[in-house]
Amino acid sequence: MKIGLYFGSFNPIHTGHLIIASYVQQNTQLDQVWFIVSPQNPLKTSAGLLNEYHRLYLVQIALEGEEQRLKASDIEFRLPKPSFTVTTMAYLHEKYPEHIFSILLGSDGFQNINRWKNYTHLLENYEFYIYPRPGHEIKEKMSGKRIHTVSAPLLDISATRIRELIKNGRSIRFLVPDKVKEEIEANNYYKQTNN
């Protein structure tokens, strides 16, 4: 099975994430897309990061009914923190040798790939599916690398903006799935600076 890995904090998961993952899965050779919930991204601050189990649950309820195509994964919860993609890929390759894994990310993240641990190993051994983000065009093709650009529809939605809206008592309806909105409200997530 060909599986695309969509790494992220998903703090919280939103409609933009879901549209990208669904589009890429349906318009490429990928059988599934797994949402890899990262407990701690080494390139981002963990301030304001909701507990990883709460974030995982929000992803799980966002994906209800789509499990054949889109899955939530807690694989990085069992690995050392911070989460390095190269470590996760090695672990998945060992645990699921029957699957072929690739990496799905935005062009903004791809522009920073030279900051990733052992990024040359990743580029040489895995396919990448890159969706363009405004202001972060992929200017040059990397020769000999397996990089596919996928023009997924983009919504100008950010988890940061969603957290700001919640903190200010504003509506997040339509920005996240209804079940995610209900779970966030029922548990008062993102109301304070540190959850």
Side-chain angles (χ1 to χ4, degrees):
M1 190 179 290
K2 292 191 77 173
I3 297 167
L5 303 176
Y6 193 5
F7 292 87
S9 300
F10 304 112
N11 189 40
I13 188 165
H14 57 67
T15 307
H17 295 133
L18 299 168
I19 288 172
I20 288 166
S22 180
Y23 182 90
V24 171
Q25 188 278 319
Q26 292 188 79
N27 292 280
T28 65
Q29 300 299 313
L30 297 176
D31 298 302
Q32 289 183 337
V33 170
W34 291 5
F35 286 72
I36 309 294
V37 180
S38 301
Q40 184 185 346
N41 181 326
L43 300 179
K44 290 185 179 177
T45 176
S46 58
L49 199 58
L50 191 66
N51 173 284
E52 61 252 37
Y53 290 97
H54 298 322
R55 288 183 284 122
L56 175 67
Y57 182 66
L58 293 176
V59 173
Q60 289 169 334
I61 61 176
L63 300 179
E64 281 179 3
E66 294 294 329
E67 292 84 0
Q68 294 300 313
R69 300 184 315 112
L70 309 172
K71 283 180 53 175
S73 174
D74 64 354
I75 203 86
E76 288 193 340
F77 293 17
R78 297 184 282 279
L79 299 174
K81 294 178 189 176
S83 310
F84 292 105
T85 302
V86 70
T87 306
T88 305
M89 298 305 280
Y91 181 80
L92 286 168
H93 184 70
E94 188 175 300
K95 187 170 174 65
Y96 303 103
E98 71 277 17
H99 295 323
I100 298 167
F101 293 103
S102 56
I103 299 168
L104 164 63
L105 78 160
S107 57
D108 54 339
F110 188 71
Q111 283 184 337
N112 292 322
I113 197 157
N114 61 335
R115 295 175 59 202
W116 294 19
K117 183 177 180 182
N118 297 343
Y119 75 96
T120 53
H121 172 80
L122 293 170
L123 288 169
E124 289 165 5
N125 292 282
Y126 298 98
E127 284 188 305
F128 281 75
Y129 291 88
I130 314 295
Y131 56 91
R133 284 204 193 255
H136 299 279
E137 286 69 35
I138 301 172
K139 294 183 174 90
E140 52 192 76
K141 291 281 181 198
M142 301 182 73
S143 58
K145 310 300 182 200
R146 297 176 293 167
I147 297 166
H148 312 283
T149 303
V150 184
S151 296
L154 296 179
L155 296 179
D156 190 14
I157 301 174
S158 78
T160 303
R161 179 69 179 135
I162 291 168
R163 294 192 303 272
E164 286 172 9
L165 289 170
I166 293 168
K167 210 173 291 182
N168 294 320
R170 309 287 296 275
S171 175
I172 59 168
R173 185 152 190 235
F174 309 120
L175 299 176
V176 299
D178 287 342
K179 285 186 176 183
V180 171
K181 175 184 171 289
E182 290 162 14
E183 186 71 15
I184 288 171
E185 289 172 351
N187 291 283
N188 288 315
Y189 293 154
Y190 305 112
K191 288 278 189 188
Q192 294 87 29
T193 309
N194 296 312
N195 284 97

